[in-house]
Amino acid sequence: MRNRTAITSLCCILAAVWAGCASPRSDFYTLSPSAKAAPAAAGYSVAVGPVSVPEIVDRPQIVVRTGPNQVFIDEFHRWGSPLRDGIARGIAGNLAGLLGAQVSVFPHPTSFAAKYRAAVDVMVFDSTPGDSAALDAVWGIRGAGGGAISSGRTTVRETVPDDSYASLVAAHSRALEKLSGDIADAIRGLEHGGRK
């Protein structure tokens, strides 16, 4: 009887230790293009990139703002790919939908032959669950010859309706759609002979 009690006690202790050592699972998120169906196919191509992001958010973990001068790096809510890649792919997907053009992400081999290249410098990428997703980006469009032919700045703040990370990431995707819309408008203007 004593042996059975000792074995049961040992099993309970080992189970408790194992449960205490088990780490919570991490959730992974991706930005997604949200622009709708493309218009008639465009006769030109666009490359997106390079994209730069602030060093503070250039990490696998989602960085959330907890105060004016404070952030929290969440170990258990992470980006599914490097943030700059996710932003570039989100913009590329949106531009393909908005312009009907062939869009690639720099430095993909097809990007070197693109008629336009859109480079994006993200200056602010703030995440505040239950409040907002903020994006401030400076962008420039270069032609096939390499010269800068258009530039602009997009500042967006999207409301986050609840504290979930899924809602936060969806708000960032909506902000990227607005940034993509500004870039698409500039490219359309260039195609129709207007220059900024």
Side-chain angles (χ1 to χ4, degrees):
M1 185 75 166
R2 275 190 195 174
N3 283 346
R4 186 175 278 179
T5 304
I7 290 172
T8 303
S9 296
L10 181 60
C11 287
C12 289
I13 290 169
L14 289 174
V17 167
W18 180 79
C21 292
S23 59
R25 82 180 178 129
S26 292
D27 292 319
F28 293 86
Y29 301 88
T30 59
L31 296 163
S32 58
S34 49
K36 303 303 178 217
Y44 56 88
S45 59
V46 179
V48 176
V51 171
S52 65
V53 296
E55 205 170 308
I56 187 67
V57 297
D58 190 15
R59 61 187 69 235
Q61 304 90 339
I62 294 180
V63 178
V64 297
R65 186 155 294 284
T66 57
N69 302 305
Q70 188 173 11
V71 295
F72 172 68
I73 300 171
D74 195 322
E75 291 295 334
F76 303 108
H77 292 92
R78 295 172 170 252
W79 295 110
S81 64
L83 183 58
R84 70 171 71 91
D85 292 348
I87 290 172
R89 293 189 185 288
I91 293 170
N94 285 327
L95 289 178
L98 293 166
L99 298 171
Q102 291 185 356
V103 184
S104 59
V105 175
F106 181 81
H108 188 275
T110 60
S111 67
F112 293 99
K115 182 174 183 180
Y116 302 107
R117 183 188 299 176
V120 181
D121 179 15
V122 176
M123 298 166 46
V124 173
F125 192 90
D126 278 352
S127 303
T128 310
D131 182 39
S132 64
L135 172 71
D136 184 9
V138 174
W139 47 269
I141 300 170
R142 293 187 178 275
I149 52 178
S150 185
S151 63
R153 183 173 187 163
T154 301
T155 303
V156 184
R157 182 175 296 277
E158 284 289 323
T159 301
V160 179
D162 57 53
D163 289 338
S164 74
Y165 279 78
S167 293
L168 178 66
V169 173
H172 274 302
S173 292
R174 292 192 305 273
L176 278 186
E177 183 180 6
K178 291 183 178 173
L179 167 60
S180 305
D182 289 348
I183 295 170
D185 287 344
I187 291 172
R188 282 189 204 102
L190 292 167
E191 278 297 295
H192 291 96
R195 299 204 170 219
K196 283 188 178 179

